[in-house]
């Protein structure tokens, strides 16, 4: 849309400034986590370490099936709600008691004077769970022990059996803050979206095409949020959230990544990734060093 050389240079300056801002995000997050670890006193410290009692009995039954001999996709689908042909599935995940305690803890953190990072440029209200120290004690076992057996059957071509990193955050929608979420796709191979509460009306999710197979007239399917239940979908599925009409909604989002897939092609720029160092899980890429076990600590420079 630039009509002059000066307009082009201005756009280029904006892009370069955004690149530099994003390069600082990881370092700023590490600094915030250090402050939070030292100074924040949790209201519900028990929710920081995953326990089987947090998980819905139906969810544990699904996991037992997926880890049993002879488990297959058709058998798994009997336990799930399926939506259209877009490979979107709803399943129970947590107990309502856990969801209530977790949201209460998140509200306590929000009301504190701790430094806070936000999930991304589209969600202005929410919490980055790695900054609360929840990656190792809660999210990694949730992904490895419970979700990976399910995604191995649902999404084998997306690395469902070898999801080896994640980015997890909670987003919040309310009438005077974020109301909705525009169409987008995730930086993930597989996404889990769990409705934690509280009381709200409207605000359904909608799903369109897979980002690699757009159609001239995309067909959308609308899916209602159900408390304590989660939606599993492909990260590349174009989706968004309709506006809530009343109340307040909190959602846990887990972007799960398979380095075996994304090392071949970055899902965001659709190119062979050119990597720069990062801390923690980064964006889920790996760079093997000799015979050492690769660590998911890189991000795509593009």
């Amino acid at each position: 849309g630039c009509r002059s050389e000066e307009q082009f240079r201005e756009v280029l300056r904006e892009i370069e400034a955004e690149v530099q801002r994003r390069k600082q995000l990881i370092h700023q997050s590490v600094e915030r986590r250090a402050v939070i670890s030292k100074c924040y006193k949790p209201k519900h410290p028990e929710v920081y370490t995953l326990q089987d009692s947090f998980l819905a009995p139906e969810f544990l039954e699904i996991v037992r099936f997926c880890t049993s001999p002879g488990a297959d996709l058709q058998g798994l689908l009997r336990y799930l709600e399926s939506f259209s042909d877009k490979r979107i599935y709803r399943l129970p995940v947590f107990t309502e008691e856990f969801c209530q305690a977790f949201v209460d803890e998140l509200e306590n953190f929000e009301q504190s004077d701790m430094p806070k990072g936000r999930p991304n440029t589209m969600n202005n209200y929410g919490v980055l769970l790695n900054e609360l120290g929840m990656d190792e004690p809660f999210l990694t076992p949730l992904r490895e022990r419970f979700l990976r057996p399910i995604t191995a059957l649902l999404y084998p071509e997306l690395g469902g059996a070898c999801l080896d990193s994640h980015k997890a955050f909670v987003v919040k929608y309310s009438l005077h803050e974020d109301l909705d979420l525009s169409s987008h796709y995730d930086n993930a191979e597989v996404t889990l979206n769990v409705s934690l509460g509280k009381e709200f009306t409207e605000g359904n999710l909608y799903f369109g095409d897979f980002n690699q197979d757009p159609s001239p007239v995309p067909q959308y399917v609308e899916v209602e949020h159900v408390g304590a239940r989660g939606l599993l979908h492909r990260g590349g599925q174009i989706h968004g959230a309709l506006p809530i009409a009343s109340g307040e909604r909190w959602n846990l989002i887990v972007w799960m990544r398979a380095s075996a897939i994304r090392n071949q092609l970055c899902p965001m720029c659709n190119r062979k990734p050119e990597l720069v160092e990062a801390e923690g899980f980064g964006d889920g890429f790996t760079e093997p060093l000799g015979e050492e076990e690769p660590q998911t600590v890189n991000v795509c420079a593009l």
Side-chain angles (χ1 to χ4, degrees):
C2 297
R3 296 178 178 272
S4 67
E5 184 68 22
E6 178 54 36
Q7 287 178 329
F8 175 79
R9 286 196 296 269
E10 177 60 29
V11 170
L12 188 59
R13 284 192 291 268
E14 291 179 10
I15 293 171
E16 290 172 342
E18 178 63 13
V19 169
Q20 294 305 315
R21 185 190 73 83
R22 294 190 180 200
K23 285 183 176 181
Q24 296 302 314
L25 289 178
I26 294 173
H27 306 298
Q28 293 168 355
S29 182
V30 170
E31 292 173 357
R32 286 192 297 266
R33 178 175 177 178
V35 172
I36 293 167
S37 176
K38 181 179 179 181
C39 303
Y40 176 63
K41 183 177 180 180
K43 183 177 181 180
H44 297 284
E46 69 278 4
V47 304
Y48 286 73
T49 301
L50 183 64
Q51 302 175 38
D52 286 8
S53 61
F54 297 166
L55 303 169
E58 301 92 334
F59 179 71
L60 295 173
E61 184 179 352
I62 293 170
V63 176
R64 279 193 295 271
F65 169 80
C66 292
T67 54
S68 64
D72 60 8
L73 175 60
Q74 291 306 312
L76 171 58
L77 292 180
R78 290 197 292 267
Y79 292 89
L80 309 177
E81 293 181 76
S82 301
F83 297 91
S84 73
D85 60 349
K86 299 181 185 296
R87 301 172 70 190
I88 304 160
Y89 307 101
R90 183 159 61 200
L91 71 167
V93 179
F94 298 118
T95 65
E96 292 185 6
E97 293 77 14
F98 168 76
C99 291
Q100 292 170 2
F102 190 29
V103 170
D104 195 36
E105 174 62 33
L106 294 169
E107 289 182 317
N108 185 70
F109 176 73
E110 279 291 296
Q111 293 162 8
S112 74
D113 59 359
M114 292 294 102
K116 301 172 182 70
R118 296 308 182 188
N120 49 61
T121 55
M122 299 179 73
N123 294 109
N124 300 301
Y125 300 90
V127 180
L128 290 164
L129 296 181
N130 68 308
E131 295 185 3
L132 284 181
M134 296 188 71
D135 265 350
E136 290 186 11
F138 190 104
L139 293 157
T140 293
L142 178 65
R143 169 175 51 82
E144 293 182 348
R145 290 179 51 205
F146 298 102
L147 293 172
R148 203 156 58 187
I150 301 172
T151 58
L153 294 176
L154 292 178
Y155 307 108
E157 82 288 0
L158 295 174
C162 53
L163 297 170
D164 53 358
S165 68
H166 60 262
K167 176 179 179 179
F169 50 94
V170 172
V171 293
K172 175 188 174 187
Y173 298 90
S174 69
L175 291 181
H176 302 294
E177 298 176 342
D178 287 338
L179 280 176
D180 54 14
L181 188 61
S182 301
S183 295
H184 66 285
Y185 58 90
D186 299 336
N187 185 359
E189 275 63 73
V190 181
T191 295
L192 173 68
N193 182 334
V194 184
S195 177
L196 300 173
K198 303 164 65 174
E199 296 294 328
F200 60 90
T201 58
E202 303 296 336
N204 291 347
L205 288 178
Y206 62 89
F207 293 87
D209 294 334
F210 192 67
N211 72 329
Q212 295 177 355
D213 307 303
S215 59
V217 183
Q219 299 294 315
Y220 288 92
V221 58
E222 198 170 315
V223 182
E224 182 181 1
H225 283 290
V226 178
R229 291 180 176 260
L231 292 168
L232 278 170
H233 63 84
R234 296 173 293 177
Q237 197 81 44
I238 296 172
H239 60 286
L242 296 171
I244 64 169
S246 66
E248 187 174 293
R249 189 177 84 235
W250 294 74
N251 286 68
L252 167 66
I253 312 295
V254 186
W255 289 352
M256 294 178 282
R257 295 152 169 172
S259 59
I261 300 296
R262 59 183 42 222
N263 285 352
Q264 307 305 312
L265 195 71
C266 173
M268 305 308 287
C269 67
N270 207 33
R271 304 181 194 178
K272 178 73 176 178
E274 298 178 15
L275 303 179
V276 296
E277 287 188 7
E279 298 189 45
F281 282 133
D283 276 353
F285 302 90
T286 59
E287 191 169 41
L289 300 173
E291 298 300 318
E292 295 181 15
E293 184 72 18
Q295 299 297 313
T296 49
V297 294
N298 296 304
V299 295
C300 181
L302 297 175

